[in-house]
Amino acid sequence: MINKEDIIEIGQFRRTHALKGELNASLDVDEDFFDEDIALIIEIDGIFIPFFVESVRTKGKDSFLLKLSGVDSADEAGAFVNKPIFAKREDVADYYGEQGLELPEDFIGYKVIDSERGEIGMVTGVDDSTENVLFLVDAGEGNTIYIPAAEEFISNIDDTERIIETSLPEGLLNLND
């Protein structure tokens, strides 16, 4: 049985494609993630079910056409439209490790320092419930600030000192008010 704490969301099915069961999906991984041993996990009627990918084709920067084993018609594929796509945390961690990347959860406990504003606070959690992953930063006095865990805002990560250096756009921190 697959438990919620053992999986992580990596994307979402958008719509069906053609008549043979392909699905258009937005994913946080690229096609190198998929191999014969990796299953995508879909929640169906409250149960997490693994599905293996028969084929994958890129369609744009982060959009893919996926064919799942056992899903052979547009009607069958229609049941997956708008459903989140999960994978085992260990598979995603292995993939990110091979790519030289780290999971956002790995940064819990890091101090966030912005180039303009100085120290912002400590990463206490990660919100990955949407397509844009957010760091939850404790800014003191009971204030939690949400900062996108996006490469364009992170200028440096010091794993030794456990510091994330950011260069946040003007006004981003004010969105939290």
Side-chain angles (χ1 to χ4, degrees):
M1 183 162 154
I2 300 170
N3 297 313
K4 178 83 172 169
E5 59 271 1
D6 297 332
I7 59 176
I8 186 169
E9 187 172 338
I10 62 167
Q12 182 172 8
F13 290 114
R14 297 293 180 203
R15 60 188 158 278
T16 61
H17 180 80
L19 301 173
K20 298 196 178 185
E22 276 189 313
L23 287 148
N24 185 307
S26 295
L27 296 169
D28 297 333
V29 295
D30 60 29
E31 60 190 309
D32 294 339
F33 176 74
F34 302 100
D35 70 25
E36 60 203 37
D37 298 327
I38 302 290
L40 297 182
I41 300 165
I42 315 303
E43 185 176 5
I44 299 175
D45 296 330
I47 299 171
F48 294 104
I49 310 289
F51 288 87
F52 290 93
V53 176
E54 262 182 36
S55 67
V56 59
R57 299 183 287 153
T58 56
K59 186 180 180 197
K61 185 176 182 234
D62 61 354
S63 185
F64 298 86
L65 296 176
L66 299 175
K67 169 69 175 77
L68 302 177
S69 291
V71 178
D72 299 316
S73 72
D75 286 340
E76 291 173 344
F80 294 87
V81 172
N82 295 323
K83 286 192 176 279
I85 302 168
F86 300 93
K88 290 183 181 175
R89 283 187 181 276
E90 63 192 47
D91 292 339
V92 175
D94 289 346
Y95 166 76
Y96 273 89
E98 289 169 7
Q99 302 298 313
L101 305 170
E102 298 179 65
L103 287 172
E105 289 87 354
D106 294 339
F107 298 111
I108 292 174
Y110 278 55
K111 186 184 300 183
V112 178
I113 300 174
D114 187 68
S115 59
E116 294 292 320
R117 291 157 204 87
E119 185 174 329
I120 296 172
M122 186 78 65
V123 177
T124 58
V126 174
D127 180 350
D128 61 1
S129 63
T130 65
E131 197 168 322
N132 298 315
V133 177
L134 301 170
F135 289 129
L136 282 64
V137 179
D138 179 356
E141 299 177 12
N143 294 326
T144 299
I145 296 176
Y146 295 85
I147 296 176
E151 287 183 33
E152 63 261 25
F153 300 138
I154 298 173
S155 52
N156 187 42
I157 297 174
D158 183 338
D159 289 317
T160 305
E161 297 294 323
R162 299 180 54 84
I163 294 173
I164 300 172
E165 296 173 13
T166 62
S167 182
L168 300 173
E170 188 70 34
L172 182 83
L173 296 178
N174 297 341
L175 294 175
N176 294 281
D177 293 339

